[in-house]
């Protein structure tokens, strides 16, 4: 390590900047790790008149959109019908259960329980799922989601 690099690192650690630097570097690396297609990502998440869906939108905005806005880590982007199509066939109840309980594969969680926010009630999680389903199917006439 060059002396100037050592001094810069030592100064950053002394001033509490090192954790922030590590976080920024990690976010930069992770941003490139997504294997998802961001096609269909929406700039302005839709609103609905239904109070249940608006409550779901609120939950989605504070928790779910971190992954479901652009499709981070394989999460289906809320505006990408093609990414959601295989999931829609599972039915609403199965999607609710997946969101509440999470999904695991051999390498770990692919969907953390309650979107990683354990403070969310089961009803809040279900409303967020219902919101995403309404958002992704709103421009798809004839698409129905089973229970």
């Amino acid at each position: 390590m060059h002396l100037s690099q050592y001094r810069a690192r030592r100064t950053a650690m002394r001033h509490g900047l090192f954790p922030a630097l590590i976080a920024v570097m990690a976010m930069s690396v992770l941003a490139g790790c997504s294997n998802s297609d961001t096609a269909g990502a929406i700039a302005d998440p839709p609103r609905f008149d239904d109070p249940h869906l608006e409550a779901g939108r609120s939950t989605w905005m504070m928790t779910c959109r971190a992954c479901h806005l652009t499709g981070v880590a394989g999460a289906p982007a809320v505006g990408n019908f093609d990414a959601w199509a295989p999931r829609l066939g599972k039915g609403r109840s199965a999607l609710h259960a997946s969101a509440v309980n999470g999904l695991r594969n051999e390498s770990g969680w692919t969907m953390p329980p309650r979107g990683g926010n354990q403070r969310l009630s089961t009803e809040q999680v279900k409303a967020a799922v219902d919101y995403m389903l309404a958002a992704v199917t709103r421009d798809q006439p004839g698409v129905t989601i089973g229970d």
Side-chain angles (χ1 to χ4, degrees):
M1 179 182 297
H2 190 270
L3 182 59
S4 63
Q5 290 174 317
Y6 171 77
R7 286 182 181 152
R9 187 168 145 199
R10 196 173 95 206
T11 300
M13 289 176 70
R14 195 175 328 146
H15 293 286
L17 300 175
F18 191 69
L21 178 63
I22 294 297
V24 168
M25 289 173 27
M27 287 188 301
S28 298
V29 169
L30 291 175
C33 292
S34 174
N35 62 356
S36 64
D37 178 11
T38 58
I42 52 177
D44 187 27
R47 291 192 164 277
F48 296 96
D49 291 333
D50 182 335
H52 174 72
L53 295 179
E54 276 302 299
R57 182 182 190 276
S58 177
T59 298
W60 182 83
M61 292 291 287
M62 77 177 174
T63 299
C64 311
R65 80 174 179 170
C67 296
H68 287 281
L69 179 64
T70 60
V72 170
V78 77
N80 187 341
F81 180 79
D82 292 336
W84 278 93
R87 294 163 173 89
L88 298 177
K90 296 178 181 181
R92 191 175 303 272
S93 296
L95 294 172
H96 285 159
S98 295
V100 170
N101 302 318
L103 294 172
R104 285 184 70 96
N105 64 19
E106 62 280 349
S107 62
W109 291 105
T110 58
M111 163 71 188
R114 299 175 192 277
N117 184 348
Q118 294 303 310
R119 293 173 295 179
L120 293 177
S121 71
T122 297
E123 290 310 311
Q124 287 175 303
V125 174
K126 288 180 177 181
V129 169
D130 292 342
Y131 169 76
M132 287 188 279
L133 294 175
V136 79
T137 60
R138 71 185 171 149
D139 296 327
Q140 303 293 328
V143 172
T144 58
I145 303 163
D147 280 331

